[in-house]
Amino acid sequence: MVKKVSLKEQIREGIFKEIIKGELTGILNEKELIERYEVSKTSVREALIELCQQDVLRVIPRCGYEVVTVSDRDVRDATELRMLLELSCFERAVANMTPEDIARFKDWAFQLKHTLSMEIWQYWDRNLSFHVQFNAFAGNRLMNETLSKTLNILWRANAQQWKRKQATQMQLEGQHPHQVMMLLLEEGKVAEAKKVLEDDIRKIPKVMSEF
């Protein structure tokens, strides 16, 4: 069954994506967002409140909503949490996968690599989806929801770096870690594949600091 997405969720995701892409900056104003999305004040306010609860925005009294800056500490904490969530679920997720599932994720990894140039936000969107959907096979809904929120923190941190460096395109060179991981899983080498994932997670703060 396809999950029905509420209007509030659609607006929240729309605002979040526009923040990531740098299309919404500074102080966000309810009235401007109502006009932008052509929806009611209630729908916009509910979406903004949820983004505040997720620490994406903070309320500035009598002004609007400010985009929260992700700190270096946030990146380190999010990376540590990723390690706990993804690595603890890895073997269970793999055990619940069929050969067809592994083949599908392998194709996904190769499609991502073969996109020679894409907007950075699109790359991270696909990268996030890969990790969340892979982790979902472990069968723990709360852990997967926490992983999604954690990856969103790192996504926002990357967006800050892109804006600072005025970068817009993602260039992929060499073999992507997702490809290596899925090829190893196809061969039944679970421990080696898990190590590839661990190394991929660990390198994120270093890559971001050098961006």
Side-chain angles (χ1 to χ4, degrees), residues 108-121:
W108 190 353
F110 274 78
Q111 287 169 14
L112 181 60
K113 174 61 187 72
H114 289 158
T115 305
L116 299 179
S117 178
M118 67 180 74
E119 290 189 17
I120 299 175
W121 76 269

Side-chain angles (χ1 to χ4, degrees), residues 82 92 132:
R82 269 194 75 188
R92 196 183 344 158
V132 170

Side-chain angles (χ1 to χ4, degrees), residues 68-208:
V68 175
T69 299
V70 180
S71 68
D72 291 341
R73 172 66 182 272
D74 293 332
V75 171
R76 292 194 298 271
D77 288 350
T79 301
E80 184 177 354
L81 183 54
R82 269 194 75 188
M83 296 282 286
L84 294 171
L85 293 169
E86 293 195 67
L87 297 182
S88 65
C89 289
F90 189 83
E91 285 92 347
R92 196 183 344 158
V94 173
N96 289 334
M97 287 182 178
T98 65
E100 291 74 23
D101 293 325
I102 291 174
R104 178 170 60 86
F105 275 99
K106 187 185 78 170
D107 289 344
W108 190 353
F110 274 78
Q111 287 169 14
L112 181 60
K113 174 61 187 72
H114 289 158
T115 305
L116 299 179
S117 178
M118 67 180 74
E119 290 189 17
I120 299 175
W121 76 269
Q122 291 177 312
Y123 170 79
W124 257 87
D125 189 23
R126 297 178 191 185
N127 183 63
L128 184 151
S129 295
F130 181 95
H131 285 275
V132 170
Q133 291 191 37
F134 187 101
N135 204 69
F137 276 86
N140 189 311
R141 179 180 57 82
L142 292 178
M143 290 182 76
N144 213 46
E145 288 176 356
T146 303
L147 175 62
S148 181
K149 293 175 183 177
T150 303
L151 288 167
N152 275 335
I153 292 171
L154 294 171
W155 194 4
R156 288 163 48 213
N158 270 274
Q160 289 175 189
Q161 295 288 61
W162 310 332
K163 185 176 179 182
R164 190 175 300 126
K165 297 291 185 178
Q166 297 184 334
T168 59
Q169 297 293 316
M170 184 73 191
Q171 299 294 335
L172 304 177
E173 298 179 359
Q175 198 168 32
H176 195 285
H178 292 174
Q179 291 177 288
V180 178
M181 185 177 81
M182 297 315 302
L183 286 169
L184 287 168
L185 287 179
E186 199 170 46
E187 297 172 6
K189 298 177 180 179
V190 178
E192 290 94 327
K194 184 176 180 180
K195 184 63 169 61
V196 171
L197 174 62
E198 180 180 352
D199 292 344
D200 186 38
I201 295 172
R202 286 187 186 279
K203 76 181 182 184
I204 294 297
K206 183 175 185 295
V207 170
M208 288 176 58

Side-chain angles (χ1 to χ4, degrees), residues 23-41:
E23 295 174 1
L24 285 176
T25 58
I27 304 297
L28 308 188
N29 178 278
E30 276 188 14
K31 183 179 178 181
E32 292 174 357
L33 291 170
I34 290 167
E35 294 174 353
R36 190 182 190 96
Y37 289 98
E38 300 181 336
V39 292
S40 69
K41 180 177 181 179

Side-chain angles (χ1 to χ4, degrees), residues 53-71:
Q53 293 171 343
Q54 295 171 356
D55 294 324
V56 176
L57 300 173
R58 69 164 62 92
V59 178
I60 305 297
R62 296 183 296 279
C63 290
Y65 299 81
E66 180 182 38
V67 177
V68 175
T69 299
V70 180
S71 68

